[in-house]
Amino acid sequence: MNTPRPARRADRRADRRRTGTALAAACALLAAGCGTGPADGTADATASSRPHLELVNCGQPVVLDAVPERVVLLKSAAVPYLHELGVMDRVVARAGQYPREYYDARTLSELDAVPLLTDRTDTSGHLQISREVVLAQRPDLVLGEVDNLDRSSLAASGIALLEEPALCETGAADPGFEDVYEQVELYGRVFGREERAAEVAAGLRERVEAVRERVATAGAPVRTAAVLYPTVGGGVTYAYGAGSTATPQLEAAGLRNVFADVDQRVFEVTREELLARDPEVLVLLHGDGEPGPVLEAVTGLPGAEGMRAVREGNVLVQLFNFTEPATPLAVTGLERVADAFGPGAPAAVAP
């Protein structure tokens, strides 16, 4: 398979800094610049005409006139952030799928208290929801963009939308765990919880560094790995490359992504290419349901028994958000991968 030459990480970091500078300049063109009001969302007499927050999301300016009080979730990715910041009570409705395996008891209790508008998806797994259903909730902020309800259609009704940076059309410039910490702090600004956001970011950073230290201390040889999203029942298998959170997640766990030379987030991969790359470890992602059929979708491929990961039983099946996008769940996913395949892990892992 012909793959584009990857950009070096240092180059991508430089691109990211340039992008940040450009976004800051774009914000400066807005009426009040990028900034926040007081942490409690109040404003003094001289600042009463200023918006609470102005920022750029997916390359588009977003203006929040006040701390959001009525939030609608169209994707589950923001849930861990909102829970940790203590603002799940601002969520008035949700749509899509929220696998219970992602959440602890407290988060589940908070989610169960939020009405579910719909979990209906099309054949490709994309949420189907009408604009009228969302508008009926009178939201001041929508989290998550879907195909038939995009940013521009909501903006026409004066409703702001935020998407996770990794899920923007252009993706993240240099995906990694720094994105998690930065997104926590962004939500802290959005909801006026800056101090709490700093605490959450510090705790997440400690967890990631603890895994890295464990790997470095062990000094074990680096094994090769691949992160795949197979189609259950037959069909396309997708692999995650340098543009995904999968690559830094594997690196932090002491593994090397065999598709790190593909400078894309996700792409179709042929059976022949997968067998040729012969990863020693496989991480298989899925949206919901049982892990068995997901495992079979790969181990049942012709010739799969010749792949080292399959032959030695080094296969982990886990839900999608434990790897993508870069959220606190990806930190938990890192710990799961490290526990399964890092230093001191058992030789084989059952899904």
Side-chain angles (χ1 to χ4, degrees), residues 12-26 56 59 170-174:
R12 290 201 296 271
R13 282 194 293 270
D15 289 342
R16 187 173 186 173
R17 287 193 294 270
R18 287 192 290 270
T19 299
T21 301
L23 294 185
V56 175
T170 56
D174 185 20

Side-chain angles (χ1 to χ4, degrees), residues 135-312:
L135 293 182
Q137 305 304 313
R138 297 180 291 108
D140 48 20
L141 178 64
V142 170
L143 297 178
E145 188 170 10
V146 296
D147 291 343
N148 64 332
L149 186 60
D150 60 14
R151 185 184 305 273
S152 60
S153 63
L154 289 170
S157 298
I159 300 170
L161 180 143
L162 291 176
E163 178 63 282
E164 299 301 312
L167 300 181
C168 295
E169 186 175 346
T170 56
D174 185 20
F177 291 103
E178 289 297 326
D179 294 323
V180 182
Y181 318 141
E182 291 173 5
Q183 194 68 359
V184 170
E185 292 169 351
L186 173 63
Y187 280 125
R189 293 166 60 203
V190 168
F191 290 99
R193 299 292 178 90
E194 290 92 337
E195 289 187 9
R196 174 57 185 160
E199 294 172 357
V200 173
L204 291 167
R205 189 185 297 273
E206 287 177 4
R207 289 169 60 189
V208 172
E209 293 308 315
V211 173
R212 286 179 171 148
E213 184 177 354
R214 188 204 325 171
V215 170
T217 301
V222 175
R223 292 194 287 176
T224 60
V227 177
L228 308 176
Y229 196 113
T231 300
V232 173
V236 174
T237 297
Y238 296 93
Y240 289 83
S244 72
T245 310
T247 295
Q249 185 181 71
L250 291 176
E251 290 175 353
L255 304 167
R256 179 178 64 82
N257 186 358
V258 296
F259 293 109
D261 62 335
V262 181
D263 203 21
Q264 299 178 49
R265 174 177 171 264
V266 61
F267 53 93
E268 295 183 14
V269 63
T270 65
R271 173 180 62 87
E272 293 78 11
E273 180 70 12
L274 182 58
L275 294 176
R277 303 236 179 179
D278 192 24
E280 299 171 77
V281 166
L282 284 175
V283 178
L284 308 183
L285 307 180
H286 65 120
D288 60 3
E290 295 298 317
V294 181
L295 179 65
E296 174 61 25
V298 172
T299 58
L301 291 172
E305 66 279 0
M307 199 183 322
R308 185 168 176 180
V310 174
R311 187 170 64 251
E312 297 181 357

